[in-house]
Each structure stands twice: as structure tokens, then as C-alpha cells.
Amino acid sequence: MKLKKNVVAREIMGETVLVPLGEANDFNGMIILNETAGEVWKRLPDAASADDIVRELLEIYDVSEETLKCDVDEFLNELKKFEII
């Protein structure tokens, strides 16, 4: 999946934080990611689809595929809302 905006991820006190650079700062600040969203973010550059991400995360988390897919889709929709992906 391709990033549309210049956003960097930083690890701060054990949490992943998305920080916009330059004109990407139209969401007024930073986005703090929960653990699952942080794992999704790490996989975005190499993933062809949300299903690829879900398959990889199923190996990490003990949760149903349906639940994980809902979580991944929700996070990706937020990124789309801010035109990050």
C-alpha cells in the first residue's frame, strides 16, 4: 500500500506515534497508535492489500479473523480519511 503523505512513525515510551511532516499536518498533530495499529503501520509499505496484513497479524494475535479484519479495516479507513494512504 502506498503512502500519499509524508508521515513518519516514531516509537515514544513504548507507543507508536505518527507525526506529519510539512503540508501533511492537516490532522492537527500526531496520531497515537495502539499495538494493533502499530503492527498494521509496519506492514503497510510491503502489503498489497488489507487481507495480506490480516493474514500476517493472525500469526501474532489470538483473535478471530473476522475481529482482526474489522480492526485493520477501521484503521485503514482512518488513514484514508486523512489521505495518508
Side-chain angles (χ1 to χ4, degrees):
M1 297 184 145
K2 185 176 177 183
L3 297 178
K4 294 181 180 179
K5 292 192 176 179
N6 198 6
V7 177
V8 296
R10 294 289 180 250
E11 194 76 25
I12 300 174
M13 295 175 47
E15 293 186 304
T16 302
V17 178
L18 300 184
V19 181
L21 302 175
E23 63 186 50
N25 194 11
D26 58 354
F27 50 86
N28 297 320
M30 301 178 284
I31 298 174
I32 299 171
L33 306 182
N34 66 22
E35 181 182 342
T36 306
E39 290 296 331
V40 172
W41 181 262
K42 290 178 196 174
R43 287 161 175 76
L44 280 178
D46 298 323
S49 69
D51 289 337
D52 289 344
I53 295 170
V54 170
R55 276 191 294 277
E56 285 186 35
L57 294 182
L58 281 171
E59 295 177 16
I60 298 172
Y61 297 106
D62 184 22
V63 64
S64 73
E65 183 174 353
E66 182 180 328
T67 298
L68 189 56
K69 182 159 179 40
C70 286
D71 290 347
V72 169
D73 287 345
E74 182 179 335
F75 178 58
L76 294 178
N77 285 334
E78 283 297 307
L79 294 178
K80 288 175 186 173
K81 176 176 136 185
F82 291 113
E83 298 179 347
I84 294 173
I85 60 169

